[in-house]
Amino acid sequence: MAIVSLGRGMASIPKPYLRKRTVESRHLLLRPNLTVPAGRRSLSTSTEFKKTTSPADLAVKSSNDKKKPSQEEPPTLPSTNDRTRPIEPPADWDENPDFNISTFSQLPSDNFGVNQHMLINEEFKEALRQILWQFRAPIRYAFAYGSGVFPQTAVDPSTTSTSLHPKSDPAISKVQGSKGKMIDFIFGVSYTQHWHSLNLQQHRDHYSAVGSLGSYMVSRIQDSWGAGVYFNPYVTVNGTLIKYGVVNLDTLCRDLSEWDTLYLAGRLQKPVKILRDDPRVRLANQVNLISALRTALLLLPENFTESELYNTIAGISYLGDLRMNLPGENPRKVSNIVEHQLHNFRRLYAPLIENLPNVAFKDDRCSKPDWADDPTTNVQLAQDMDPVKRGNMVRRLPKSFRRRLYFQYQSKYQIPQLELNQMMEESNDEDPTRVRRRQGGPFERRVASEEPIELRKEVRSVLKKTISWPSASQTLKGPVTGGFARTWRYVQEKREKYAEGKKKQLEADQKAAREKNSKDEHS
């Protein structure tokens, strides 16, 4: 079988599995079947891809098994004469990315960012898309996320929910099971005030009293307070209860590429369902994903499991979250996300793991066919702890986050301000006249050579500082933008989740204690 390698940042895809661009993403929606000899990289140039059925797909299959005609075009690869850009992105695509692109053809390669698209049931996806069509204001980029899209507990497909959603599409009820959940969306828009002006005309009931002040005040509150997101929670669209947040595309791309607040970047570090794509956001999010992977590697020991890696990544955005320090969020939230979405995390990060030079899958189970399709498989990985390679990772962290880390170590190492300024100038990525590889210098190698416990403490501290204020101010903005009644409802639901999580945690601890006591008695 002929193989097409997607190069750095992408896994390799056999030619028969390449598809024509779809209306949704204009790129492939595939997931890897990772099979390699034990001890070698698990995404090699002989890697094969295939489409698999997720739990959500199974949940919405019709009970009478009636087959619908496929809406997908047959797998095909454009002829050599039709290709206008490479299948493979350049090896240094993340060194100096151009965030001023406006079309998908300007992305580093034809299949760039395919790993960002999660596979869900077609009927469920179409139901989510229909919700977007109820907005006349133009939405350039949109994704659905959270437990309403990716269940964090086992779902019983035999039961349906009619209590939460007034009159939702049957596909939504089947995916969510007996406990219907509000579905969360993020809308990326080009012009904030213009968008709210149009939306206020169509959906005035979505807004709190702030809406009566007009689109100018709404956009000012959105852009000047918190993380730049304006949420309208508990609104019914197309018979479905949803919450949607509106963000300017420039704000979104800046957070993804620089980690200004990690408010939106953190959400996109976990599996989401992209419903409308944008080339600039896709490029910025690929930078976000590889940055999350590098940060997690700095927080992890030499050897670790997939579950530990994905738990570390999923936990980044919650480190400074105000809700996690109050009885307002399920304490098991991170582990629940990873436990039920491990296959989607694997789809998101496995191609990036393959193309980083200092980390690899190292597990005999990787030699088994279809191991990547098994959500119960939790394979081992290993990273190179060489200070030079880890120093390069420090140097390639997102700009805003890296600056905070430098200032953190300036205080610790007592570096003179003049010396720090010079170091910051040398690490400047914004000079268009200079295109160079971002290699770690003596300072970055010194940081990377710290004792693992100390390095983890400093990185976690900077993550908390990055997240805490935007998260807290965005939370405080809730009663203003959502209204006090909706905010109170939201708080009550979060408290219920917190209580439920604590109860399950106590039960798990008690079970573990009983098993330990039983083992001790028999030994």
PDB file of all heavy atoms in Angstrom, residues 90-103:
ATOM      1  N   PRO A  90       6.368  21.526   6.124  1.00  0.00           N
ATOM      2  CA  PRO A  90       7.815  21.580   6.360  1.00  0.00           C
ATOM      3  C   PRO A  90       8.143  21.133   7.771  1.00  0.00           C
ATOM      4  O   PRO A  90       7.314  21.242   8.695  1.00  0.00           O
ATOM      5  CB  PRO A  90       8.158  23.060   6.144  1.00  0.00           C
ATOM      6  CG  PRO A  90       6.866  23.782   6.329  1.00  0.00           C
ATOM      7  CD  PRO A  90       5.793  22.848   5.856  1.00  0.00           C
ATOM      8  N   ALA A  91       9.341  20.623   7.957  1.00  0.00           N
ATOM      9  CA  ALA A  91       9.736  20.095   9.269  1.00  0.00           C
ATOM     10  C   ALA A  91       9.688  21.163  10.351  1.00  0.00           C
ATOM     11  O   ALA A  91       9.502  20.852  11.533  1.00  0.00           O
ATOM     12  CB  ALA A  91      11.137  19.501   9.183  1.00  0.00           C
ATOM     13  N   ASP A  92       9.848  22.415   9.963  1.00  0.00           N
ATOM     14  CA  ASP A  92       9.871  23.486  10.959  1.00  0.00           C
ATOM     15  C   ASP A  92       8.605  24.338  10.913  1.00  0.00           C
ATOM     16  O   ASP A  92       8.641  25.544  11.112  1.00  0.00           O
ATOM     17  CB  ASP A  92      11.095  24.376  10.736  1.00  0.00           C
ATOM     18  CG  ASP A  92      11.115  25.000   9.347  1.00  0.00           C
ATOM     19  OD1 ASP A  92      10.307  24.554   8.499  1.00  0.00           O
ATOM     20  OD2 ASP A  92      11.913  25.921   9.110  1.00  0.00           O
ATOM     21  N   TRP A  93       7.452  23.686  10.640  1.00  0.00           N
ATOM     22  CA  TRP A  93       6.204  24.446  10.481  1.00  0.00           C
ATOM     23  C   TRP A  93       5.868  25.272  11.716  1.00  0.00           C
ATOM     24  O   TRP A  93       5.226  26.330  11.624  1.00  0.00           O
ATOM     25  CB  TRP A  93       5.046  23.494  10.151  1.00  0.00           C
ATOM     26  CG  TRP A  93       4.618  22.626  11.312  1.00  0.00           C
ATOM     27  CD1 TRP A  93       5.031  21.355  11.569  1.00  0.00           C
ATOM     28  CD2 TRP A  93       3.711  22.973  12.356  1.00  0.00           C
ATOM     29  NE1 TRP A  93       4.451  20.880  12.714  1.00  0.00           N
ATOM     30  CE2 TRP A  93       3.628  21.855  13.223  1.00  0.00           C
ATOM     31  CE3 TRP A  93       2.970  24.104  12.662  1.00  0.00           C
ATOM     32  CZ2 TRP A  93       2.820  21.847  14.363  1.00  0.00           C
ATOM     33  CZ3 TRP A  93       2.170  24.106  13.807  1.00  0.00           C
ATOM     34  CH2 TRP A  93       2.097  22.978  14.634  1.00  0.00           C
ATOM     35  N   ASP A  94       6.272  24.824  12.899  1.00  0.00           N
ATOM     36  CA  ASP A  94       5.921  25.541  14.132  1.00  0.00           C
ATOM     37  C   ASP A  94       6.988  26.546  14.547  1.00  0.00           C
ATOM     38  O   ASP A  94       6.863  27.172  15.610  1.00  0.00           O
ATOM     39  CB  ASP A  94       5.670  24.553  15.267  1.00  0.00           C
ATOM     40  CG  ASP A  94       6.899  23.734  15.623  1.00  0.00           C
ATOM     41  OD1 ASP A  94       7.674  23.422  14.710  1.00  0.00           O
ATOM     42  OD2 ASP A  94       7.074  23.408  16.807  1.00  0.00           O
ATOM     43  N   GLU A  95       8.026  26.707  13.744  1.00  0.00           N
ATOM     44  CA  GLU A  95       9.081  27.646  14.109  1.00  0.00           C
ATOM     45  C   GLU A  95       8.639  29.098  13.906  1.00  0.00           C
ATOM     46  O   GLU A  95       8.787  29.935  14.782  1.00  0.00           O
ATOM     47  CB  GLU A  95      10.342  27.371  13.276  1.00  0.00           C
ATOM     48  CG  GLU A  95      11.020  26.054  13.595  1.00  0.00           C
ATOM     49  CD  GLU A  95      11.709  26.071  14.945  1.00  0.00           C
ATOM     50  OE1 GLU A  95      11.934  27.162  15.487  1.00  0.00           O
ATOM     51  OE2 GLU A  95      12.019  24.980  15.452  1.00  0.00           O
ATOM     52  N   ASN A  96       8.135  29.403  12.736  1.00  0.00           N
ATOM     53  CA  ASN A  96       7.716  30.772  12.415  1.00  0.00           C
ATOM     54  C   ASN A  96       6.390  30.734  11.658  1.00  0.00           C
ATOM     55  O   ASN A  96       6.320  31.096  10.484  1.00  0.00           O
ATOM     56  CB  ASN A  96       8.779  31.481  11.578  1.00  0.00           C
ATOM     57  CG  ASN A  96      10.079  31.663  12.330  1.00  0.00           C
ATOM     58  OD1 ASN A  96      10.231  32.582  13.129  1.00  0.00           O
ATOM     59  ND2 ASN A  96      11.024  30.764  12.074  1.00  0.00           N
ATOM     60  N   PRO A  97       5.302  30.294  12.301  1.00  0.00           N
ATOM     61  CA  PRO A  97       4.019  30.194  11.598  1.00  0.00           C
ATOM     62  C   PRO A  97       3.470  31.568  11.229  1.00  0.00           C
ATOM     63  O   PRO A  97       3.634  32.542  11.968  1.00  0.00           O
ATOM     64  CB  PRO A  97       3.113  29.491  12.619  1.00  0.00           C
ATOM     65  CG  PRO A  97       3.732  29.787  13.948  1.00  0.00           C
ATOM     66  CD  PRO A  97       5.202  29.866  13.707  1.00  0.00           C
ATOM     67  N   ASP A  98       2.828  31.645  10.098  1.00  0.00           N
ATOM     68  CA  ASP A  98       2.232  32.894   9.628  1.00  0.00           C
ATOM     69  C   ASP A  98       0.755  32.906  10.020  1.00  0.00           C
ATOM     70  O   ASP A  98      -0.069  32.226   9.408  1.00  0.00           O
ATOM     71  CB  ASP A  98       2.381  32.996   8.105  1.00  0.00           C
ATOM     72  CG  ASP A  98       1.757  34.273   7.551  1.00  0.00           C
ATOM     73  OD1 ASP A  98       1.384  35.153   8.353  1.00  0.00           O
ATOM     74  OD2 ASP A  98       1.643  34.380   6.319  1.00  0.00           O
ATOM     75  N   PHE A  99       0.415  33.705  11.033  1.00  0.00           N
ATOM     76  CA  PHE A  99      -0.960  33.741  11.521  1.00  0.00           C
ATOM     77  C   PHE A  99      -1.824  34.743  10.759  1.00  0.00           C
ATOM     78  O   PHE A  99      -2.950  35.028  11.173  1.00  0.00           O
ATOM     79  CB  PHE A  99      -0.977  34.070  13.012  1.00  0.00           C
ATOM     80  CG  PHE A  99      -0.355  33.015  13.870  1.00  0.00           C
ATOM     81  CD1 PHE A  99       0.811  33.262  14.564  1.00  0.00           C
ATOM     82  CD2 PHE A  99      -0.917  31.755  13.975  1.00  0.00           C
ATOM     83  CE1 PHE A  99       1.399  32.286  15.363  1.00  0.00           C
ATOM     84  CE2 PHE A  99      -0.348  30.770  14.753  1.00  0.00           C
ATOM     85  CZ  PHE A  99       0.821  31.036  15.454  1.00  0.00           C
ATOM     86  N   ASN A 100      -1.314  35.269   9.663  1.00  0.00           N
ATOM     87  CA  ASN A 100      -2.081  36.209   8.846  1.00  0.00           C
ATOM     88  C   ASN A 100      -2.721  35.539   7.638  1.00  0.00           C
ATOM     89  O   ASN A 100      -3.180  36.223   6.727  1.00  0.00           O
ATOM     90  CB  ASN A 100      -1.181  37.359   8.381  1.00  0.00           C
ATOM     91  CG  ASN A 100      -0.689  38.212   9.539  1.00  0.00           C
ATOM     92  OD1 ASN A 100      -1.456  38.544  10.444  1.00  0.00           O
ATOM     93  ND2 ASN A 100       0.589  38.562   9.530  1.00  0.00           N
ATOM     94  N   ILE A 101      -2.744  34.223   7.621  1.00  0.00           N
ATOM     95  CA  ILE A 101      -3.341  33.518   6.489  1.00  0.00           C
ATOM     96  C   ILE A 101      -4.844  33.730   6.478  1.00  0.00           C
ATOM     97  O   ILE A 101      -5.466  34.018   7.505  1.00  0.00           O
ATOM     98  CB  ILE A 101      -3.004  32.015   6.527  1.00  0.00           C
ATOM     99  CG1 ILE A 101      -3.614  31.350   7.771  1.00  0.00           C
ATOM    100  CG2 ILE A 101      -1.502  31.786   6.480  1.00  0.00           C
ATOM    101  CD1 ILE A 101      -3.449  29.853   7.791  1.00  0.00           C
ATOM    102  N   SER A 102      -5.454  33.555   5.303  1.00  0.00           N
ATOM    103  CA  SER A 102      -6.893  33.766   5.172  1.00  0.00           C
ATOM    104  C   SER A 102      -7.605  32.614   4.473  1.00  0.00           C
ATOM    105  O   SER A 102      -8.833  32.566   4.464  1.00  0.00           O
ATOM    106  CB  SER A 102      -7.166  35.062   4.397  1.00  0.00           C
ATOM    107  OG  SER A 102      -6.548  35.028   3.118  1.00  0.00           O
ATOM    108  N   THR A 103      -6.858  31.671   3.901  1.00  0.00           N
ATOM    109  CA  THR A 103      -7.469  30.537   3.217  1.00  0.00           C
ATOM    110  C   THR A 103      -6.796  29.242   3.661  1.00  0.00           C
ATOM    111  O   THR A 103      -5.652  29.239   4.112  1.00  0.00           O
ATOM    112  CB  THR A 103      -7.333  30.665   1.683  1.00  0.00           C
ATOM    113  OG1 THR A 103      -5.951  30.600   1.323  1.00  0.00           O
ATOM    114  CG2 THR A 103      -7.923  31.983   1.200  1.00  0.00           C
TER     115      THR A 103
END
